[in-house]
Amino acid sequence: MRDQDRYDSLIQWAWENAAHAYQFDQSVDWRLVKCQIRAESGFRPDVVSSQGARGLLQIVSGTWGDGFEADAFNPEKNIKKGVDYLGRLWAMFKEEQGVERWRFATGSFNCGPGWVIKSQALLKVRGRPTDTWEGIADVLPQLTGVNAQQTIEYVNKIFRWYGNLCRGAE
């Protein structure tokens, strides 16, 4: 079995639970999380980032809460926690529709929802639409500087991989 396929059943299980809890739309499926894991850890459950994020979905202690030290490297718990967090982020963005809403959620997963919300506020002040990731990507560098490029590339990469996966190209 390929490393990238090892966690498929765990991802599907966590996705189904979160989809029910948050009433996900049908614009994406569980394979989005598979692409996110690829971007976060390359399917390595023991990875630790320079910022202290851990495991397959590179979750930090503040997001994880109690049990972080004991469970962050456990693939089942990491995927469950990461998918639930992604669901909470998706639920925050109610004005965005379909795939755009998922771009906002994955971007928030990477840089934090506060920066995405601040980007929306900046767009609103400028009289621009606040519900497209393209708009966020345009103003995020003005708020986070060089860190914005990492988030923009992260979202683009995940959705490129997801599109390829859905077409059977990966």
Side-chain angles (χ1 to χ4, degrees), residues 7 14 27 32 41 50 97 100 162:
Y7 302 108
S27 59
L32 179 70
S41 66
S50 60
Q97 300 297 311
E100 284 300 299
Y162 180 73

Side-chain angles (χ1 to χ4, degrees), residues 25 27 90 93-104 131-132:
D25 64 27
S27 59
W90 179 83
F93 297 101
K94 296 182 182 352
E95 299 300 317
E96 299 70 22
Q97 300 297 311
V99 174
E100 284 300 299
R101 192 171 181 181
W102 288 105
R103 285 187 175 98
F104 277 65
D131 61 349
T132 67

Side-chain angles (χ1 to χ4, degrees), residues 104-130:
F104 277 65
T106 56
S108 293
F109 195 101
N110 183 262
C111 71
W115 290 115
V116 175
I117 292 166
K118 288 176 183 176
S119 295
Q120 286 180 302
L122 183 57
L123 288 167
K124 186 175 185 174
V125 166
R126 294 180 177 174
R128 295 179 52 198
T130 63

Side-chain angles (χ1 to χ4, degrees), residues 14-57:
W15 182 267
E16 288 171 15
N17 288 331
H20 177 72
Y22 295 103
Q23 300 178 339
F24 291 164
D25 64 27
Q26 301 297 310
S27 59
V28 300
D29 63 22
W30 66 273
R31 294 173 293 183
L32 179 70
V33 175
K34 183 174 183 169
C35 295
Q36 190 172 2
I37 290 172
R38 179 180 174 188
E40 290 285 359
S41 66
F43 302 101
R44 296 179 318 245
D46 59 345
V47 174
V48 179
S49 77
S50 60
Q51 302 298 312
R54 297 181 182 188
L56 290 167
L57 280 162

